[in-house]
């Protein structure tokens, strides 16, 4: 895709309002002998960028991406691992969707308890002021690539609680959302349609091995 | 050994609902606990003051999402006391049928969520498969699987559809056979009994002081059910019994609380069948429901989890002046340090699961 | 004990006034703030379950409504299975909204009092742990008061 050296859109990916670190900027070669002065994430970022620059300038990146993108894409979209997280009524329908009658587990879903092992965060209820920092932490603990599904009216815009003093007007005020599923509550069939829409989005947009857009 | 605080935070697979439980452990044994709520506080009481009386039924549906009709019914019941509205007899029968179907769906939801806590994931699939049957039944009169908005002030939204009685009878017969299968699968299972016998004990006296009501109190042997002791709708005409169990003289454990809910499901089946037999023809909504109300009213009903209470104050306008909601789980969770002390860390899902928490009604 | 006997016995207690009956099983009375703890001490063996504590903002003063219920049938309604309840109203001034806490008598009152403090700002003297229960720690103000102002993004209807 693009040959820019920037890692995605920093303000959107890091979320609005979170602290930005020094590693947002492109690292140049450190002064000789100063390798040990780098922090571990800066070191990894520097190595990553060096490898990318070498691969880009020699043309290997195009070749590797063309081979690995379909394979990684195939694996990512057909094995979504959502986080085991339920807020309100839509979480009950999310659970009921895994029950024998609807069985969305046939899409490859495996619910994981730890955010470090997940791809997808499903926001299935109203986000209150007390919950907002914890949800932000959960989102930041998930490794890339990750997607967010806003399930239900409360997560899209506040829903029936639009005039409450403690409900945030939608999950997209503080984190980027990929798929919006309307409904109050969302039927299991609509949730399945939401996952299939996310699969289409992953197929159309997601990168291969080098994680550039 | 050193003591430390462990936080089972808002995102945890075993705490059903969004709350934090901080436990202080000495090795593996629990020494103290500190629950923290408020992650789902949507200020329903304040929002209710901005809406007219009949508009609040959409908010009460979402108070407890696993058992939503019972909360709308509690609200409608209190406002009918405030406005002095008489509900027609056929509407009372229809309400009773919907409440008992909702109680079945709620207990099946609880059972399906309790089994994975003990490691028995097949139990979740069995109970949720049966819950699907009742959700389809509840969808026929009201149009929605989960949040119905069916019970209105003065009656119900519309009459039951044609063929509802035959469909219900077919499903109840199937469900009764399945309940017998489950009693063999779970109650005779040695691992299930090991995890639930003698775990999470509290006496009836302690429970009454803590504010615990409902199936948790009936699991201690106390024969107290609001459907008989502060009766409402048509429960006094129906032939049914209160289900109680006890683990020993005057105290309960996880297994007795589990058995009380299974017994209640069997009683609900009996109540629904009796209602269909005795239901008369007639109107389903009161002919004149006033718009303005003045005064105060207090009513309590037997929710699937305990005693749900509402206190409504009207000041003569068409909106409530103050609306107070009491959830049975609010006080039950405040007492969790007492019934968690002395048990192991791995017993927490078994004990908190047998209490049957729903955070939506607790946090309002 | 019959409910009418109970009403007769307690109508002369210190601080009690306006005793009456709602429907057939709820005893309603008004209580003064200073005598509330003594009264609750005297009924604790009959009413062993503290059901609800509601706080109401009748501009300009506050009102606390206590509900207790009798499960062990120490007090009964004649010829009926109905369980008896007690509803006590206490009126507090706006510039001194404080009252004695009953958490030592009924443990179930503990969180009800915390919620009344959290949402309405009423102080309970002698409560072991009076802090916010539903709202976040740093929240300013008591939202359920009628003079609490907050922004709503659409117009009133």
């Amino acid at each position: 895709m693009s040959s820019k050296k920037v890692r995605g859109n920093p303000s959107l990916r890091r979320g609005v309002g979170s602290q930005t670190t020094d590693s947002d900027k492109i690292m140049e070669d450190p002064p000789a002998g100063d390798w040990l002065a780098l922090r571990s994430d800066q070191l990894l970022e520097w190595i990553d960028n060096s490898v990318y620059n070498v691969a880009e300038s020699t043309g290997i990146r195009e070749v590797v991406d063309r081979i690995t993108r379909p394979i990684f894409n195939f694996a990512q979209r057909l094995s979504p691992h959502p986080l085991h997280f339920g807020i309100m009524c839509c979480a009950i329908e999310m659970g009921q969707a895994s029950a024998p009658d609807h069985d969305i587990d046939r899409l490859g879903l495996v619910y994981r308890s730890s955010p470090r092992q997940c791809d997808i965060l499903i926001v299935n209820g109203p986000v209150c002021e007390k919950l907002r920092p914890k949800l932000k932490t959960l989102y930041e603990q998930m490794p890339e690539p990750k997607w967010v599904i806003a399930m239900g009216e409360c997560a899209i815009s506040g829903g029936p609680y639009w005039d409450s003093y403690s409900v945030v007007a939608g999950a997209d005020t503080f984190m980027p959302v990929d798929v919006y599923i309307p409904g109050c509550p969302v039927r299991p069939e609509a949730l399945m349609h939401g996952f299939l829409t996310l699969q289409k989005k992953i197929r159309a947009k997601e990168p291969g091995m080098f994680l550039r857009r | 050994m050193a003591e430390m605080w462990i936080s089972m935070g808002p995102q945890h697979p075993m705490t059903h609902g969004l709350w934090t439980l901080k436990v202080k452990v000495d090795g593996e044994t629990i020494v103290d606990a500190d629950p923290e709520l408020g992650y789902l506080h949507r200020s329903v009481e304040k929002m209710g003051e901005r809406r007219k009386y009949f508009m609040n039924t959409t908010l009460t549906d979402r108070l407890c999402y696993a058992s939503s009709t019972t909360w709308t019914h509690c609200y409608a019941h209190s406002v009918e006391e405030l406005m002095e509205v008489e509900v027609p007899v056929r509407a009372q029968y229809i309400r009773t049928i919907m409440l008992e179907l909702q109680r079945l769906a709620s207990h099946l939801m609880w059972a399906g969520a309790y089994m994975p806590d003990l490691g028995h994931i097949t139990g979740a699939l069995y109970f949720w498969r049966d819950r699907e049957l009742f959700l389809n039944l509840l969808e026929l009169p009201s149009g929605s699987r989960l949040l119905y908005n069916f019970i209105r002030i003065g009656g119900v939204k519309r009459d039951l559809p044609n063929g509802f009685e035959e469909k219900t009878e077919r499903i109840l017969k199937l469900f009764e056979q399945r309940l017998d299968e489950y009693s063999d699968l779970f109650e005779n299972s040695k691992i299930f009994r090991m995890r639930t016998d003698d775990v999470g004990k509290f006496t009836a006296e302690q429970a009454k002081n803590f504010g615990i009501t409902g199936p948790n109190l009936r699991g201690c042997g106390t024969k107290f059910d609001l459907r008989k002791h502060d009766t409402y709708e048509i429960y006094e005409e129906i032939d049914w019994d209160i289900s109680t169990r006890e683990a020993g003289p005057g105290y309960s454990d996880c297994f007795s609380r589990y058995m009380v809910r299974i017994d209640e499901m069997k009683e609900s089946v009996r109540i629904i069948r009796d209602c269909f037999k005795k239901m008369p023809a007639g109107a389903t909504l009161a002919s004149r429901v006033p718009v303005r109300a003045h005064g105060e009213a207090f009513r309590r009903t037997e929710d699937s989890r305990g005693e749900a209470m509402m206190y409504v104050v009207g000041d003569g306008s068409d909106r409530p002046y103050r609306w107070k909601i009491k959830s049975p789980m609010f006080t039950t969770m405040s007492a969790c340090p007492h019934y968690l002390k002395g048990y192991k860390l791995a017993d927490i899902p078994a004990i908190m699961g047998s209490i049957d928490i729903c955070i939506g009604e607790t946090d309002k | 004990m019959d409910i009418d006997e109970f009403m007769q016995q307690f109508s002369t207690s210190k601080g009690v006034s306006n005793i009456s009956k709602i429907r057939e099983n709820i005893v309603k009375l008004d209580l003064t703030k200073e005598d509330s703890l003594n009264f609750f001490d005297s009924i604790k063996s009959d009413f062993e379950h503290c059901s609800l504590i509601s706080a109401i903002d009748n501009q300009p003063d506050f009102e606390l409504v206590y509900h207790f219920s009798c499960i062990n049938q120490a007090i009964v309604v004649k010829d009926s299975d109905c369980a008896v309840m007690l509803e006590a109203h206490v009126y507090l001034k706006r510039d001194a909204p404080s009252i004695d806490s009953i958490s030592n008598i009924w443990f179930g009152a503990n969180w009800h009092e915390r919620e009344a403090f959290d949402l309405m700002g009423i102080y309970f003297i002698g409560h072991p742990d009076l802090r916010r229960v539903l709202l976040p720690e740093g929240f300013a103000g008591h939202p359920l008061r009628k003079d609490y102002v907050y922004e709503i993004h659409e117009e009133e209807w």
Side-chain angles (χ1 to χ4, degrees), chain A residues 84-85 87-88 92-93 95-96 101-102 113 128 130-131 134 160-161 163-166 184-185 187, chain B residues 11 13 18 36-43 47 50-51 62 65 109 128 131-132 139 145-147:
Chain A
H84 203 138
F85 180 59
I87 304 181
M88 224 166 82
I92 305 285
E93 288 289 59
Q96 191 71 36
D101 274 36
H102 299 278
S113 308
C128 300
K130 206 167 181 179
L131 178 65
K134 312 271 163 103
Y161 306 106
D163 58 344
S164 160
Y165 53 77
S166 69
C184 189
R187 291 188 68 108
Chain B
Q11 186 265 326
L18 215 58
E36 186 190 333
L37 299 181
Y39 292 99
L40 216 55
H41 178 67
R42 290 110 53 207
S43 68
M47 280 169 28
R50 290 187 70 231
R51 286 161 171 69
R62 287 148 178 83
Y65 30 88
M109 175 81 223
W128 281 350
R131 183 169 179 252
E132 193 69 36
E139 191 177 358
R145 281 159 56 97
L146 203 62
L147 305 164

Side-chain angles (χ1 to χ4, degrees), chain B residues 250-315:
Chain B
Y251 68 90
S252 72
D253 63 8
C254 291
F255 186 68
S256 67
R257 295 193 284 268
Y258 167 84
M259 285 309 297
V260 163
R261 292 188 177 98
I262 301 287
D263 287 341
E264 276 191 4
M265 287 205 258
K266 293 183 183 143
E267 289 297 323
S268 289
V269 171
R270 242 176 101 185
I271 295 175
I272 297 175
R273 284 199 174 123
D274 214 17
C275 276
F276 275 122
K277 258 196 279 225
K278 298 182 175 159
M279 188 155 67
T284 52
L285 194 63
S287 52
R288 205 193 137 260
V289 178
V291 172
R292 295 182 161 69
H294 185 88
E296 42 193 46
F298 172 82
R299 286 272 189 173
R300 50 181 186 162
T301 59
E302 182 77 24
D303 179 49
S304 328
R305 288 166 177 77
E307 295 180 5
M309 304 178 189
M310 293 219 184
Y311 182 68
V312 190
V313 177
D315 63 346

